[in-house]
Amino acid sequence: MRRVVDDFRGVMRRFPTGVTIVTTVYDERPKGFTASAFTSVSADPPMVLVCVNRQARSHPLISQAGKFCVNVLQLEQQRLAQDFALHGREDPFTAFTHRTVKTGAPVLDGALAFFDCELADEHTAGTHTIFIGRVLACAGTSGAPLGYFDGAYRDFGCRIA
Ligand SMILES: Cc1cc2nc3c(=O)[nH]c(=O)nc-3n(C[C@H](O)[C@H](O)[C@H](O)COP(=O)(O)O)c2cc1C
């Protein structure tokens, strides 16, 4: 009999998302990885969440550092998404300029938006941990978002429906 677990990945591909780079800094070393499991949690206080695989090298670093920054990518930043998704390679921080704002977690230049967070809570869920961040600083700019749908990076066009 077919189990839900066999269907799950394929069905989740039907859900379109934006693409982010979640960064942190631990022991003065920046770390980041590509993530799409990001959402707003609360507006006042401002809180967001990101779901991180416990196998990711970033996972213990976020937990120990107690801070992270979610960088929402613009359409032309697909290269960052690809480079920061490579497990086992050195992070490409030298190739992409960044700055710090409040927590010290890297804010990537050219991002469409960023949410600089102190870690407020974490919950184990299956293979992942849900990291909840209290937003200490955030900003956005106008531009086109990088999208992800059906296993590929996309231009969502962003016409008003
Ligand atoms: C479009 C896209 C979205 C991703 N979203 C997530 C995510 O939300 N959470 C996660 O843990 N990994 C996600 N990944 C996988 C990580 O980017 C990948 O495992 C990365 O190598 C982890 O890096 P690290 O082990 O250096 O921390 C995503 C990958 C891609 C390409």
Side-chain angles (χ1 to χ4, degrees):
M1 200 174 61
R2 197 166 170 82
R3 298 178 310 152
V4 178
V5 71
D6 299 324
D7 296 326
F8 184 76
R9 279 178 211 267
V11 176
M12 275 308 296
R13 288 164 71 100
R14 311 317 303 167
F15 183 60
T17 67
V19 183
T20 77
I21 307 292
V22 175
T23 62
T24 191
V25 63
Y26 186 70
D27 217 7
E28 292 179 24
R29 293 183 62 178
K31 181 77 192 83
F33 75 104
T34 304
S36 56
F38 159 71
T39 193
S40 158
V41 173
S42 157
D44 187 6
M47 300 179 96
V48 297
L49 70 77
V50 52
C51 301
V52 183
N53 194 315
R54 281 197 301 284
Q55 302 289 328
R57 292 172 300 171
S58 306
H59 184 280
L61 302 178
I62 293 171
S63 215
Q64 288 160 36
K67 60 182 90 167
F68 64 90
C69 181
V70 182
N71 296 267
V72 180
L73 297 186
Q74 298 215 44
L75 188 56
E76 58 267 28
Q77 292 182 304
Q78 184 177 329
R79 178 78 198 282
L80 276 91
Q82 289 164 334
D83 288 1
F84 275 98
L86 296 172
H87 187 69
R89 282 244 211 112
E90 271 306 295
D91 275 5
F93 272 107
T94 48
F96 305 105
T97 52
H98 58 88
R99 63 193 188 281
T100 58
V101 174
K102 199 91 176 187
T103 67
V107 175
L108 300 171
D109 289 349
L112 186 60
F114 73 85
F115 301 87
D116 195 11
C117 305
E118 68 178 6
L119 184 60
D121 212 348
E122 46 187 287
H123 300 278
T124 302
T127 53
H128 282 54
T129 296
I130 304 165
F131 286 113
I132 298 176
R134 180 187 285 262
V135 180
L136 300 187
C138 60
T141 182
S142 56
L146 179 64
Y148 198 73
F149 176 67
D150 202 14
Y153 295 104
R154 307 277 177 170
D155 176 357
F156 285 157
C158 287
R159 282 174 297 141
I160 291 172

